[in-house]
Amino acid sequence: MEKYNQLNPEIIAQIQTVSDHVLVGDDINVDYARDEMPIYGTHMPDLVVQPTSTEEVAAVMKICYENTIPVTPRGAGTGLAGGAVPLLGGVLMDTSKMNRILNYDMENFVVEIESGVLLNDLANDCLSKGMMYPPDPGEKFACVGGNVSTNAGGMRAVKYGATRDYVRAMTVVLPTGEITHLGATVSKTSSGYSLLNLMIGSEGTLGIITELTLKIIPAPKVVASLIIPFEDLNTALSTVPKIKMSGLNPQAIEFMEREIVLSSERYIGRSVFPQELEGQQIGAYLLVTLDAGSQDDLDTMLEQMAELVLDAGAMDVLVADTPAKIKDAWAARSSFLEAIMHETKLLDECDVVVPVNKIADYLDFVNKTGEDCGLIIKSFGHAGDGNLHIYQCSNDLEEEEFKSRVDKFFEIIYKEATNCGGLVSGEHGIGSGKIKYLVDSVGETNMALMEGIKRVFDPKMILNPGKVCYRL
């Protein structure tokens, strides 16, 4: 492990000369010590900077680099893998105040923003101009810079792709304090190594993203969602390849089991999903969204989708075709994590990704493994792209016993994911919590390559140490 220095009054004073947005001591909120998954530990930073410009970030980074002080970048702190936790204290760089939407270039279909803009704000602002920013991760109040740092996917990835597909260019502050610009407004490039794509998904280990140029598209004219109940999860999941082969090209195909829907509806205080039909209990659901250029086209698509899923074993099809109904249909889905946290004392999560045609068998394996390990398992996810959100829950175990069982569970299910062509994370990233399982999945050779890349960007290894590929 590298040797890092501690902040002292002299270094703090230097930082305060280049930034008016410094928090120390009791002014530092305890929320800065953790992200949304506290099982990965809490570590207070020694100092927090809340910059409002790229130049301010660069000035602070230069001081930290010269003095070998660890720096942890953070946006809204909504991560689920410990990626924004300051494991070694030091400086926490909170970019959430860099939250301006800077410019729209409608002729080139891009928007320029600062990295602290919230996804919800960007999405709504685009819609007000008749445009859409397609990436749609479940946490709408995450910073877009954080989405880029983990290459977040979300519900619409099945049709429109993940965050990576919408990043044209960015401004980055390197660990040395240098400012660099990666990418361009253009849509094609064969101009050397793609440093832009290397930065996307790097979880703040290679540089601090301060500005972004993002691709946007014309918003669909009409949208509708379908709640499709099934007797059991296997029947629901076996329908997904048929939907993908239908040519209907849905925005989203989400799956969810009965128990997690009940938890969510208890949490939001209203029922949207049917619980039984003609006396028969519903075991699982698909939530599918379609969009089109005209109402006639959408109506035809809805009829075709209904016929397809009913032939495949669906118990019914419920159409949400007004903004209010669509909002209600997705409210339960959007509240899954909060609902689980509300009802659970100890919690961990993985967002493993497997081939779409392996989802049903893999989830059978996961549920059996959870039972063997003495854990309560709750699952949902993106059926259209194989990205599964698998939660391990307990209200009875002591924390150390829970962690031990989860570790055993992860070792088994990640190995199975690798065996069937999957990967450790589809969108939440590795952070500090999943490094061990990434090593087992990709091997030491690839880990060494990643660490080598980090050392080129960050010779003193001060930026977000202990994350992704650099093991403390």
Side-chain angles (χ1 to χ4, degrees), residues 230-303:
F230 291 84
E231 186 176 350
D232 57 71
L233 183 61
N234 280 355
T235 307
L237 292 173
S238 67
T239 306
V240 174
K242 298 172 186 175
I243 293 174
K244 295 193 72 175
M245 289 292 292
S246 68
L248 295 172
N249 204 15
Q251 265 193 18
I253 313 172
E254 298 291 293
F255 80 88
M256 54 213 72
E257 295 184 272
R258 172 187 178 85
E259 289 305 316
I260 204 163
V261 170
L262 292 174
S263 294
S264 184
E265 292 189 337
R266 285 193 296 269
Y267 180 75
I268 64 176
R270 63 182 183 276
S271 180
V272 179
F273 288 64
Q275 304 306 316
E276 60 177 47
L277 286 166
E278 297 180 355
Q280 187 173 4
Q281 182 172 287
I282 294 165
Y285 309 83
L286 294 180
L287 180 55
V288 178
T289 297
L290 298 169
D291 59 29
S294 71
Q295 189 62 51
D296 286 346
D297 287 345
L298 182 61
D299 289 342
T300 299
M301 294 167 67
L302 290 170
E303 289 175 10

Side-chain angles (χ1 to χ4, degrees), residues 234 237 357-367 416:
N234 280 355
L237 292 173
N357 65 340
K358 303 287 182 65
I359 296 175
D361 289 342
Y362 184 74
L363 281 175
D364 281 343
F365 179 87
V366 164
N367 289 332
E416 180 67 13

Side-chain angles (χ1 to χ4, degrees), residues 256-418:
M256 54 213 72
E257 295 184 272
R258 172 187 178 85
E259 289 305 316
I260 204 163
V261 170
L262 292 174
S263 294
S264 184
E265 292 189 337
R266 285 193 296 269
Y267 180 75
I268 64 176
R270 63 182 183 276
S271 180
V272 179
F273 288 64
Q275 304 306 316
E276 60 177 47
L277 286 166
E278 297 180 355
Q280 187 173 4
Q281 182 172 287
I282 294 165
Y285 309 83
L286 294 180
L287 180 55
V288 178
T289 297
L290 298 169
D291 59 29
S294 71
Q295 189 62 51
D296 286 346
D297 287 345
L298 182 61
D299 289 342
T300 299
M301 294 167 67
L302 290 170
E303 289 175 10
Q304 292 175 352
M305 180 66 73
E307 182 178 351
L308 185 156
V309 298
L310 289 169
D311 287 345
M315 299 167 68
D316 198 358
V317 178
L318 293 82
V319 178
D321 54 3
T322 67
K325 290 180 179 177
I326 293 170
K327 183 178 180 180
D328 283 346
W330 283 92
R333 167 61 182 87
S334 299
S335 300
F336 283 170
L337 175 56
E338 291 85 353
I340 294 171
M341 286 182 165
H342 183 70
E343 297 184 347
T344 306
K345 186 180 80 170
L346 291 172
L347 181 69
D348 205 341
E349 183 263 4
C350 72
D351 75 312
V352 63
V353 58
V354 299
V356 172
N357 65 340
K358 303 287 182 65
I359 296 175
D361 289 342
Y362 184 74
L363 281 175
D364 281 343
F365 179 87
V366 164
N367 289 332
K368 176 66 167 59
T369 303
E371 190 176 310
D372 292 344
C373 293
L375 295 167
I376 298 168
I377 304 298
K378 296 185 179 182
S379 303
F380 61 93
H382 314 307
D385 57 34
N387 189 191
L388 315 177
H389 299 300
I390 301 168
Y391 286 80
Q392 306 82 50
C393 311
S394 176
N395 287 318
D396 304 317
L397 297 172
E398 295 298 321
E399 184 169 324
E400 288 308 310
E401 177 63 20
F402 175 74
K403 287 182 175 180
S404 176
R405 293 188 189 191
V406 169
D407 182 48
K408 179 182 177 183
F409 173 79
F410 278 159
E411 286 183 354
I412 296 169
I413 70 161
Y414 280 133
K415 182 177 180 180
E416 180 67 13
T418 301

Side-chain angles (χ1 to χ4, degrees), residues 9 26 50 52 87-88 108 135 165 182 224 242 270 273 419 457:
D26 292 341
Q50 299 174 311
T52 57
L87 297 177
L88 300 178
N108 287 302
D165 301 304
L182 307 177
K242 298 172 186 175
R270 63 182 183 276
F273 288 64
N419 289 341
F457 279 81

Side-chain angles (χ1 to χ4, degrees), residues 89-105:
V91 172
L92 188 139
M93 192 80 73
D94 172 11
T95 60
S96 63
K97 292 189 182 298
M98 299 178 65
N99 56 9
R100 295 179 299 160
I101 297 174
L102 300 171
N103 180 55
Y104 283 89
D105 180 349

Side-chain angles (χ1 to χ4, degrees), residues 8-23:
N8 58 40
E10 188 176 309
I11 298 172
I12 293 172
Q14 287 183 51
I15 292 173
Q16 288 172 326
T17 64
V18 299
S19 173
D20 295 326
H21 312 99
V22 176
L23 304 177

